[in-house]
């Protein structure tokens, strides 16, 4: 039996017994129980998001230049270490090859950091 159904059943008994005080108290407790259920659902969602972030954090490989890669990601993608540090978002960097005017380098469109690779 679910919480809501249980409360409804007890409320029906109290209503039939004509016990207004207990009936009102039960309604108040029922409301609190439903609030707690909503809070639990919210916390479960937050927990799921934190686990996801932790799993991502464990896959991050740092390099001497300010970019990150993810373990086991193929092809290897360069992410901006500055944006990850400031915002917690993985922003894919543009890789310019050696024939570009800047030589082989990486550029972040989000924070505009640019460095030679
Ligand atoms: Zn960036």
């Amino acid at each position: 039996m679910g919480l809501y159904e249980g409360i409804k059943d007890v409320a029906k008994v109290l209503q039939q017994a004509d016990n207004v005080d207990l009936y009102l108290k039960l309604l108040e407790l029922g409301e609190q129980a439903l609030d707690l259920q909503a809070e639990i659902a919210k916390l479960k969602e937050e927990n799921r998001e934190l686990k996801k972030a932790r799993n991502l954090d464990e896959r991050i490989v740092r390099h001497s230049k300010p970019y990150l890669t993810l373990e086991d990601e193929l092809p290897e993608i360069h992410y901006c270490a500055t944006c990850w540090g400031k915002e917690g978002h993985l922003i894919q960097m543009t890789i310019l090859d050696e024939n570009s005017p800047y030589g082989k380098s990486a550029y972040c469109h989000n924070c505009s950091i640019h460095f030679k690779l």
Side-chain angles (χ1 to χ4, degrees), residues 9-117:
D9 287 351
V10 175
K12 193 184 280 180
V13 171
L14 290 176
Q15 204 171 21
Q16 287 166 353
D18 203 23
N19 192 331
V20 176
D21 288 342
L22 271 181
Y23 180 77
L24 291 174
K25 186 70 181 167
L26 178 68
L27 288 183
E28 187 186 315
L29 289 173
E31 202 172 294
Q32 288 176 13
L34 291 175
D35 287 349
L36 287 173
Q37 269 192 330
E39 182 71 18
I40 288 169
K42 190 180 136 208
L43 291 172
K44 279 182 175 176
E45 178 60 27
E46 284 178 14
N47 192 34
R48 192 173 21 254
E49 290 298 318
L50 287 170
K51 280 182 178 174
K52 208 167 101 183
R54 191 188 68 199
N55 288 342
L56 182 62
D57 209 43
E58 288 171 354
R59 291 180 60 210
I60 284 179
V61 179
R62 297 185 182 280
H63 301 269
S64 56
K65 303 278 181 155
Y67 72 91
L68 309 167
T69 53
L70 291 179
E71 194 177 276
D72 303 328
E73 185 175 59
L74 289 173
E76 192 177 78
I77 294 172
H78 288 56
Y79 299 98
C80 178
T82 303
C83 287
W84 175 252
K86 280 184 181 172
E87 303 166 17
H89 295 130
L90 285 178
I91 307 292
Q92 184 173 354
M93 302 186 85
T94 297
I95 305 300
L96 303 168
D97 66 22
E98 57 278 346
N99 298 324
S100 82
Y102 307 104
K104 186 161 175 66
S105 54
Y107 175 74
C108 175
H109 292 276
N110 190 45
C111 69
S112 301
I113 191 171
H114 179 241
F115 55 86
K116 290 210 177 282
L117 287 171

